[in-house]
Amino acid sequence: MSDNPPKVLGVQYMQPAFADIEKIIQWRMVISPEIAEHFNDRLREEIRAIRLRFASEIAESNNGRISLVPDHDASIQYSRPIYRHSFATSKTRRRDSTGRYNIYFTLSGNTDGKPNTLRIYRIIHAGSIGNFATSAQPDEE
Amino acid sequence: MPTLTIDLELPEAEYQFASSLTREERHRVASIAMTAAFATARNVPPTEDWDDATPFTQEEIDALADAVAQEDAGLSSDGEAFFAKLDKQHGWNPKP
């Protein structure tokens, strides 16, 4: 008998993701402890939200895929499909990268031929230059 | 996971090199690196003519995927201990 697809994806963090979180919190602590705590709250909220959202998309799909397209440069760096989910720490809509962070993740594990785990590789400020070596470069031609 | 390192004399040159590539060239580099990784996993020397490389069997691809998964599993965690430590360190209320 086959397993039912999970209603929420499991989560795994790679070590560089922890280092990213510590670095961001350290930087925000300099501004204020409240701002640092707010980031921590928003990040965890957002990760819970995407675990639910992608579990639902995977359950409804025939092939276990999600609606995002893999990030080109991150996928090359890790030699596997790496997705990028962007979130803002503020509710104010802004057109620049202020308070915006990217979560880079892949889908792994297997339940009934479909992924069951969100594996987080990096969490990086959206305005950081050199997130991945080629990210900051425009596509030629 | 077996990987191919592009070894340049100057560390700074690596970034300059990657930045100078077009999208097609970046695909090409990734393709070469993947071919070399598979060749290493197979324990055969990578061919210089990448386009003529023998296709890999599903078993070989699965074996490499398993090796990658095992390596990743050893390096990852569910974050529970990390976030609990973070909350304690900063005196934040524990979150679910």
Side-chain angles (χ1 to χ4, degrees):
Chain A
M1 192 176 146
S2 61
D3 297 330
N4 289 322
K7 290 189 173 131
V8 59
L9 295 176
V11 63
Q12 287 179 323
Y13 295 81
M14 305 301 284
Q15 290 301 328
F18 289 144
D20 290 336
I21 295 170
E22 281 178 337
K23 204 158 61 175
I24 294 165
I25 287 180
Q26 199 177 19
W27 185 83
R28 291 174 78 98
M29 271 295 204
V30 174
I31 306 170
S32 92
E34 288 75 26
I35 285 182
E37 186 176 12
H38 180 66
F39 169 79
N40 182 46
D41 292 348
R42 279 290 299 120
L43 173 68
R44 288 159 78 171
E45 260 173 40
E46 201 64 27
I47 290 172
R48 267 196 301 276
I50 60 175
R51 287 169 65 193
L52 280 166
R53 172 186 157 191
F54 296 129
S56 157
E57 287 187 13
I58 288 167
E60 286 168 17
S61 74
N62 293 325
N63 52 15
R65 291 193 181 160
I66 59 173
S67 56
L68 295 182
V69 174
D71 181 87
H72 177 265
D73 296 323
S75 299
I76 285 184
Q77 174 148 335
Y78 288 102
S79 303
R80 70 195 69 179
I82 301 283
Y83 301 93
R84 184 185 66 207
H85 172 77
S86 183
F87 75 99
T89 51
S90 159
K91 285 182 181 165
T92 312
R93 278 176 175 263
R94 299 181 65 115
R95 298 183 70 181
D96 58 19
S97 60
T98 307
R100 184 160 283 282
Y101 291 84
N102 292 330
I103 301 172
Y104 291 90
F105 65 94
T106 192
L107 298 168
S108 63
N110 188 333
T111 300
D112 234 10
K114 292 181 175 182
N116 58 20
T117 304
L118 189 85
R119 183 174 290 177
I120 299 174
Y121 281 76
R122 301 293 307 270
I123 296 161
I124 308 178
H125 190 274
S128 297
I129 294 174
N131 288 351
F132 294 99
T134 54
S135 295
Q137 299 302 311
D139 287 318
E140 294 81 355
E141 279 115 39
Chain B
M1 177 186 179
T3 54
L4 175 70
T5 304
I6 300 170
D7 193 10
L8 301 179
E9 279 188 21
L10 296 171
E12 295 83 0
E14 196 169 343
Y15 178 79
Q16 296 296 337
F17 169 72
S19 302
S20 69
L21 299 180
T22 63
R23 177 182 281 268
E24 286 70 26
E25 286 167 338
R26 295 201 299 260
H27 272 300
R28 186 82 184 125
V29 169
S31 153
I32 290 170
M34 284 301 286
T35 307
F38 277 119
T40 308
R42 258 180 166 180
N43 202 22
V44 295
T47 170
E48 287 185 6
D49 190 352
W50 306 103
D51 290 334
D52 289 345
T54 315
F56 298 96
T57 65
Q58 189 58 46
E59 280 171 351
E60 285 171 326
I61 292 169
D62 290 346
L64 187 62
D66 284 348
V68 170
Q70 280 174 20
E71 182 188 72
D72 286 353
L75 292 171
S76 61
S77 90
D78 65 5
E80 214 167 290
F82 171 82
F83 284 112
K85 189 177 152 204
L86 207 60
D87 288 340
K88 195 174 169 190
Q89 183 185 344
H90 296 290
W92 296 333
N93 291 326
K95 283 103 191 161

